Amino acid sequence: MHLATGDRPRAIEAFTRAVAEADRAADVDPIERTNYLASLASVTADPQRRQALLARNEAELTALLGPMHPRVLSRRLLRARLAPDLAAARENLQALCPALRERTPDDVERYAACTYMLGHVEVRLGRAAEAGAALAETRRSAAGLPADHHPQLFARGAEALAAELAGSTPKPSPPSTRAWPRSVATATVRGSPPSWRSSS
């Protein structure tokens, strides 16, 4: 509710209190506790604190559901989006994208999101060849799907970013976060801290 009204300080206070109470209580749903952690992380400005919360969140969910559960994968994507810098985001995505392709081949949405994010990171790092390969993989993964499916949103973004890259445009602007499906854009909340996507 506080986030919906743009009151980030009260949202931080509420999420901090929810996490503390969940840690003390014996009867709290462990999945719900991980949701509190993710919510607190999404509004935490300090990058080290944010990454610690996300790492704890991911570890607890993995223990409960297994490493390739959709919830865990979404949190790994969230951690990459909120990484404190491009190098950390790239490291996360380089490990996650191949795992998605090999172990969850039917999860086209998350795979397209992962390769699209990786392509964007590589562009920002000035790694043209690596960016081109990642963006081509995004387009390949969405090929043949209906135009209104989420992977096609990533594919269109990848095509635009690849065109900018081919034109040697320095530091292309990141595509709108409106192109991110809800399952991936969990960090796109009012009052979120800046991530590598919004840095110059």
Side-chain angles (χ1 to χ4, degrees):
M1 180 179 68
H2 298 309
L3 281 179
T5 60
D7 191 345
R8 184 166 169 242
R10 291 188 68 184
I12 293 172
E13 180 183 342
F15 292 141
T16 300
R17 185 169 57 251
V19 169
E21 291 175 356
D23 284 343
R24 288 194 301 267
D27 58 346
V28 174
D29 181 346
I31 297 294
E32 191 64 23
R33 182 173 60 237
T34 67
N35 291 336
Y36 297 151
L37 285 167
S39 296
L40 179 57
S42 73
V43 294
T44 297
D46 179 76
Q48 301 306 318
R49 169 68 171 156
R50 184 169 67 240
Q51 286 298 298
L53 288 166
L54 291 170
R56 177 186 165 189
N57 174 277
E58 187 180 318
E60 290 187 7
L61 265 183
T62 300
L64 291 166
L65 304 173
M68 299 307 289
H69 189 279
R71 280 180 181 260
V72 176
L73 297 174
S74 287
R75 298 300 164 80
R76 291 180 68 182
L77 283 171
L78 173 62
R79 185 154 62 93
R81 284 203 73 219
L82 290 179
D85 54 53
L86 290 165
R90 181 173 181 266
E91 182 179 359
N92 290 345
L93 294 166
Q94 280 189 316
L96 179 56
C97 294
L100 285 169
R101 182 174 184 178
E102 294 169 13
R103 301 181 64 178
T104 58
D106 295 330
D107 193 349
V108 179
E109 180 177 321
R110 286 185 178 83
Y111 181 64
C114 191
T115 56
Y116 175 62
M117 290 171 67
L118 179 59
H120 185 207
V121 169
E122 299 287 22
V123 168
R124 296 286 295 278
L125 287 170
R127 298 165 57 90
E130 292 83 353
L135 296 170
E137 188 63 13
T138 305
R139 298 195 299 274
R140 183 206 63 78
S141 68
L145 294 175
D148 60 345
H149 280 212
H150 285 147
Q152 287 288 9
L153 296 176
F154 295 116
R156 289 194 289 273
E159 185 174 356
L161 198 55
E164 291 187 72
L165 184 65
S168 300
T169 304
K171 293 188 177 179
S173 301
S176 169
T177 54
R178 287 176 295 181
W180 293 79
R182 184 177 179 83
S183 63
V184 176
T186 351
T188 308
V189 293
R190 193 172 301 178
S192 310
S195 66
W196 54 264
R197 298 191 71 242
S198 58
S199 61
S200 59

Coordinates of all heavy atoms in Angstrom, one line a residue, residues 92-142:
N92 N 26.1 -12.9 -12.9 CA 24.9 -13.7 -12.5 C 24.2 -14.2 -13.8 O 23.8 -15.4 -13.8 CB 23.9 -12.7 -11.8 CG 24.3 -12.3 -10.4 OD1 25.2 -13.0 -9.9 ND2 23.7 -11.3 -9.9
L93 N 24.1 -13.4 -14.8 CA 23.4 -13.8 -16.0 C 24.1 -14.8 -16.8 O 23.5 -15.7 -17.4 CB 23.1 -12.6 -16.9 CG 22.1 -11.6 -16.3 CD1 22.2 -10.2 -17.0 CD2 20.7 -12.1 -16.2
Q94 N 25.4 -14.8 -16.8 CA 26.2 -15.8 -17.6 C 26.0 -17.2 -17.0 O 26.1 -18.2 -17.7 CB 27.7 -15.4 -17.6 CG 28.1 -14.3 -18.6 CD 29.6 -14.2 -18.7 OE1 30.3 -14.1 -17.7 NE2 30.1 -14.1 -19.9
A95 N 25.8 -17.2 -15.7 CA 25.6 -18.5 -15.0 C 24.1 -19.0 -15.2 O 23.8 -20.2 -15.4 CB 25.9 -18.4 -13.6
L96 N 23.2 -18.0 -15.2 CA 21.8 -18.3 -15.2 C 21.3 -18.7 -16.6 O 20.5 -19.7 -16.8 CB 21.0 -17.2 -14.7 CG 19.4 -17.3 -14.7 CD1 19.0 -18.6 -13.9 CD2 18.8 -16.1 -14.1
C97 N 21.7 -18.0 -17.7 CA 21.1 -18.2 -19.0 C 21.4 -19.7 -19.5 O 20.4 -20.3 -19.9 CB 21.6 -17.2 -20.0 SG 21.1 -15.5 -19.7
P98 N 22.6 -20.2 -19.4 CA 22.8 -21.6 -19.9 C 22.0 -22.6 -19.0 O 21.5 -23.6 -19.6 CB 24.3 -21.8 -19.7 CG 24.9 -20.4 -19.7 CD 23.9 -19.5 -19.1
A99 N 21.9 -22.3 -17.7 CA 21.1 -23.2 -16.9 C 19.7 -23.3 -17.3 O 19.0 -24.3 -17.3 CB 21.3 -22.8 -15.4
L100 N 19.1 -22.1 -17.6 CA 17.7 -22.1 -18.1 C 17.5 -22.9 -19.3 O 16.6 -23.6 -19.5 CB 17.3 -20.6 -18.3 CG 17.0 -19.8 -17.1 CD1 16.9 -18.3 -17.4 CD2 15.8 -20.2 -16.4
R101 N 18.4 -22.7 -20.3 CA 18.3 -23.4 -21.6 C 18.4 -24.9 -21.4 O 17.7 -25.6 -22.0 CB 19.3 -22.9 -22.6 CG 19.2 -23.5 -23.9 CD 20.2 -22.9 -24.9 NE 19.9 -23.5 -26.3 CZ 20.6 -23.1 -27.4 NH1 21.5 -22.2 -27.3 NH2 20.3 -23.7 -28.5
E102 N 19.4 -25.3 -20.6 CA 19.6 -26.7 -20.5 C 18.6 -27.5 -19.6 O 18.2 -28.6 -19.8 CB 21.0 -27.0 -19.9 CG 22.1 -26.5 -20.8 CD 23.5 -26.5 -20.2 OE1 23.6 -27.0 -19.0 OE2 24.4 -25.9 -20.7
R103 N 18.2 -26.8 -18.5 CA 17.4 -27.5 -17.5 C 15.9 -27.2 -17.5 O 15.1 -27.9 -17.0 CB 18.0 -27.2 -16.1 CG 19.4 -27.7 -16.0 CD 20.0 -27.4 -14.6 NE 19.4 -28.2 -13.6 CZ 19.7 -28.2 -12.3 NH1 20.7 -27.4 -11.9 NH2 19.1 -28.9 -11.4
T104 N 15.5 -26.1 -18.1 CA 14.1 -25.7 -18.3 C 13.8 -25.3 -19.7 O 13.5 -24.1 -19.9 CB 13.7 -24.6 -17.3 OG1 14.5 -23.5 -17.5 CG2 13.8 -25.1 -15.8
P105 N 14.0 -26.1 -20.7 CA 13.9 -25.7 -22.1 C 12.5 -25.2 -22.5 O 12.4 -24.4 -23.5 CB 14.2 -27.0 -22.9 CG 14.0 -28.1 -21.9 CD 14.3 -27.6 -20.6
D106 N 11.5 -25.5 -21.7 CA 10.1 -25.0 -22.1 C 9.9 -23.6 -21.5 O 8.9 -23.0 -21.8 CB 9.1 -26.0 -21.6 CG 9.1 -27.3 -22.3 OD1 9.6 -27.4 -23.4 OD2 8.8 -28.4 -21.6
D107 N 10.7 -23.1 -20.6 CA 10.5 -21.8 -20.0 C 11.1 -20.7 -20.9 O 12.1 -20.1 -20.6 CB 11.2 -21.8 -18.6 CG 10.7 -20.6 -17.8 OD1 10.1 -19.7 -18.3 OD2 11.0 -20.6 -16.6
V108 N 10.5 -20.5 -22.0 CA 11.0 -19.6 -23.0 C 11.0 -18.2 -22.5 O 11.9 -17.4 -22.8 CB 10.2 -19.7 -24.3 CG1 10.7 -18.7 -25.4 CG2 10.2 -21.1 -24.9
E109 N 10.0 -17.8 -21.7 CA 9.9 -16.4 -21.2 C 11.1 -16.1 -20.4 O 11.7 -15.0 -20.6 CB 8.6 -16.2 -20.4 CG 8.5 -14.8 -19.8 CD 7.2 -14.6 -19.1 OE1 6.2 -15.1 -19.5 OE2 7.3 -13.9 -18.1
R110 N 11.5 -16.9 -19.4 CA 12.6 -16.5 -18.6 C 13.9 -16.6 -19.3 O 14.8 -15.8 -19.1 CB 12.7 -17.4 -17.3 CG 11.6 -17.1 -16.3 CD 11.8 -17.9 -15.0 NE 10.8 -17.5 -14.0 CZ 9.5 -17.9 -14.0 NH1 9.1 -18.8 -14.9 NH2 8.6 -17.5 -13.1
Y111 N 14.0 -17.5 -20.3 CA 15.3 -17.6 -21.0 C 15.4 -16.4 -21.9 O 16.5 -15.8 -22.0 CB 15.3 -18.9 -21.9 CG 16.5 -19.1 -22.7 CD1 17.8 -19.2 -22.1 CD2 16.5 -19.0 -24.1 CE1 18.9 -19.4 -22.8 CE2 17.6 -19.1 -24.8 CZ 18.9 -19.3 -24.2 OH 20.0 -19.5 -24.9
A112 N 14.3 -16.0 -22.6 CA 14.4 -14.8 -23.4 C 14.7 -13.5 -22.6 O 15.5 -12.7 -23.0 CB 13.1 -14.6 -24.1
A113 N 14.1 -13.5 -21.4 CA 14.4 -12.4 -20.5 C 15.9 -12.4 -20.1 O 16.6 -11.3 -20.1 CB 13.6 -12.4 -19.2
C114 N 16.4 -13.5 -19.8 CA 17.8 -13.6 -19.3 C 18.8 -13.2 -20.4 O 19.7 -12.4 -20.2 CB 18.1 -15.1 -18.9 SG 19.7 -15.3 -18.0
T115 N 18.6 -13.7 -21.7 CA 19.5 -13.4 -22.7 C 19.4 -11.9 -23.1 O 20.4 -11.3 -23.5 CB 19.3 -14.3 -24.0 OG1 17.9 -14.2 -24.4 CG2 19.6 -15.8 -23.6
Y116 N 18.2 -11.4 -23.1 CA 18.0 -10.0 -23.3 C 18.7 -9.1 -22.3 O 19.4 -8.1 -22.7 CB 16.5 -9.7 -23.3 CG 16.1 -8.2 -23.5 CD1 16.5 -7.6 -24.7 CD2 15.4 -7.5 -22.5 CE1 16.1 -6.2 -24.9 CE2 15.1 -6.2 -22.7 CZ 15.4 -5.6 -23.9 OH 15.1 -4.2 -24.0
M117 N 18.6 -9.4 -21.1 CA 19.3 -8.7 -20.0 C 20.8 -8.8 -20.2 O 21.5 -7.8 -20.1 CB 18.9 -9.2 -18.6 CG 17.5 -8.9 -18.2 SD 17.0 -9.7 -16.7 CE 18.0 -9.0 -15.5
L118 N 21.3 -10.0 -20.5 CA 22.7 -10.2 -20.8 C 23.2 -9.4 -21.9 O 24.3 -8.8 -21.9 CB 23.0 -11.7 -21.0 CG 24.5 -12.1 -21.2 CD1 25.4 -11.6 -20.1 CD2 24.6 -13.6 -21.5
G119 N 22.4 -9.4 -23.0 CA 22.8 -8.6 -24.2 C 22.9 -7.1 -23.8 O 23.8 -6.4 -24.2
H120 N 21.9 -6.6 -23.0 CA 22.0 -5.2 -22.6 C 23.2 -4.9 -21.8 O 23.9 -3.9 -21.9 CB 20.7 -4.9 -21.8 CG 20.5 -3.5 -21.4 ND1 19.8 -3.0 -20.3 CD2 21.0 -2.3 -22.0 CE1 19.9 -1.7 -20.3 NE2 20.6 -1.3 -21.3
V121 N 23.5 -5.8 -20.8 CA 24.7 -5.6 -20.0 C 26.0 -5.6 -20.9 O 26.9 -4.7 -20.7 CB 24.8 -6.8 -19.0 CG1 26.2 -6.8 -18.3 CG2 23.8 -6.6 -17.9
E122 N 26.1 -6.5 -21.9 CA 27.3 -6.6 -22.7 C 27.4 -5.3 -23.5 O 28.5 -4.8 -23.8 CB 27.2 -7.8 -23.7 CG 27.2 -9.1 -22.9 CD 28.5 -9.5 -22.3 OE1 29.3 -8.7 -22.1 OE2 28.7 -10.7 -22.1
V123 N 26.2 -4.7 -24.0 CA 26.3 -3.5 -24.7 C 26.9 -2.4 -23.8 O 27.7 -1.6 -24.2 CB 24.9 -3.1 -25.2 CG1 24.9 -1.6 -25.7 CG2 24.4 -4.0 -26.3
R124 N 26.4 -2.3 -22.6 CA 26.8 -1.3 -21.7 C 28.3 -1.4 -21.3 O 29.0 -0.4 -21.0 CB 26.0 -1.3 -20.4 CG 24.5 -1.0 -20.6 CD 24.3 0.5 -20.8 NE 24.6 1.3 -19.7 CZ 23.9 1.5 -18.6 NH1 22.6 0.9 -18.6 NH2 24.2 2.2 -17.6
L125 N 28.8 -2.7 -21.4 CA 30.2 -2.9 -21.1 C 31.1 -2.7 -22.3 O 32.3 -2.9 -22.3 CB 30.4 -4.3 -20.6 CG 29.9 -4.6 -19.1 CD1 29.9 -6.1 -18.8 CD2 30.8 -3.8 -18.1
G126 N 30.5 -2.4 -23.5 CA 31.2 -2.2 -24.7 C 31.7 -3.5 -25.4 O 32.6 -3.5 -26.2
R127 N 31.1 -4.6 -25.0 CA 31.5 -5.9 -25.6 C 30.5 -6.3 -26.8 O 29.5 -7.0 -26.6 CB 31.4 -7.0 -24.5 CG 32.4 -6.7 -23.4 CD 32.1 -7.6 -22.1 NE 32.1 -9.0 -22.4 CZ 33.2 -9.8 -22.3 NH1 34.3 -9.3 -21.9 NH2 33.1 -11.1 -22.6
A128 N 30.8 -5.7 -27.9 CA 29.9 -5.8 -29.1 C 29.6 -7.2 -29.5 O 28.5 -7.6 -29.8 CB 30.5 -5.0 -30.2
A129 N 30.6 -8.0 -29.6 CA 30.4 -9.4 -30.1 C 29.6 -10.2 -29.2 O 28.6 -10.9 -29.6 CB 31.8 -10.1 -30.3
E130 N 29.9 -10.1 -27.9 CA 29.1 -10.8 -26.9 C 27.7 -10.3 -26.8 O 26.7 -11.1 -26.7 CB 29.8 -10.7 -25.5 CG 31.1 -11.4 -25.4 CD 32.3 -10.6 -25.9 OE1 32.0 -9.5 -26.5 OE2 33.4 -11.1 -25.8
A131 N 27.5 -9.0 -26.9 CA 26.1 -8.4 -26.9 C 25.3 -9.0 -28.1 O 24.2 -9.4 -28.0 CB 26.2 -6.9 -27.0
G132 N 26.0 -9.0 -29.3 CA 25.3 -9.4 -30.5 C 24.9 -10.9 -30.4 O 23.8 -11.3 -30.8
A133 N 25.7 -11.7 -29.8 CA 25.4 -13.1 -29.6 C 24.2 -13.3 -28.7 O 23.3 -14.1 -28.9 CB 26.6 -13.9 -29.1
A134 N 24.2 -12.6 -27.6 CA 23.1 -12.7 -26.6 C 21.8 -12.2 -27.2 O 20.7 -12.9 -27.0 CB 23.5 -11.9 -25.3
L135 N 21.8 -11.1 -27.9 CA 20.6 -10.5 -28.5 C 20.1 -11.4 -29.6 O 18.9 -11.6 -29.8 CB 20.9 -9.1 -29.0 CG 21.2 -8.1 -27.9 CD1 21.7 -6.8 -28.5 CD2 20.1 -7.9 -26.9
A136 N 21.0 -12.0 -30.4 CA 20.6 -13.0 -31.4 C 19.9 -14.2 -30.8 O 18.9 -14.7 -31.3 CB 21.8 -13.4 -32.2
E137 N 20.4 -14.6 -29.6 CA 19.8 -15.8 -28.9 C 18.4 -15.4 -28.4 O 17.4 -16.2 -28.4 CB 20.7 -16.2 -27.8 CG 20.2 -17.5 -27.1 CD 20.2 -18.7 -28.0 OE1 20.8 -18.6 -29.1 OE2 19.7 -19.7 -27.6
T138 N 18.2 -14.1 -28.0 CA 16.9 -13.7 -27.6 C 15.9 -13.8 -28.7 O 14.8 -14.3 -28.6 CB 16.9 -12.2 -27.1 OG1 17.9 -12.1 -26.0 CG2 15.5 -11.8 -26.5
R139 N 16.3 -13.3 -29.9 CA 15.4 -13.4 -31.0 C 15.1 -14.8 -31.5 O 14.0 -15.2 -31.8 CB 16.0 -12.6 -32.2 CG 16.2 -11.1 -31.8 CD 16.4 -10.2 -33.1 NE 17.6 -10.6 -33.8 CZ 18.8 -10.1 -33.5 NH1 19.0 -9.3 -32.5 NH2 19.9 -10.5 -34.2
R140 N 16.2 -15.6 -31.4 CA 16.0 -17.0 -31.8 C 15.0 -17.8 -30.9 O 14.1 -18.5 -31.4 CB 17.3 -17.8 -31.8 CG 17.3 -19.2 -32.2 CD 18.4 -20.1 -31.6 NE 18.2 -20.2 -30.2 CZ 17.3 -21.0 -29.5 NH1 16.5 -21.7 -30.2 NH2 17.3 -21.0 -28.2
S141 N 15.1 -17.5 -29.6 CA 14.2 -18.2 -28.6 C 12.7 -17.8 -28.8 O 11.9 -18.6 -28.5 CB 14.7 -17.9 -27.2 OG 14.4 -16.5 -26.9
A142 N 12.5 -16.7 -29.3 CA 11.1 -16.2 -29.5 C 10.5 -16.5 -30.9 O 9.3 -16.3 -31.1 CB 11.0 -14.7 -29.2

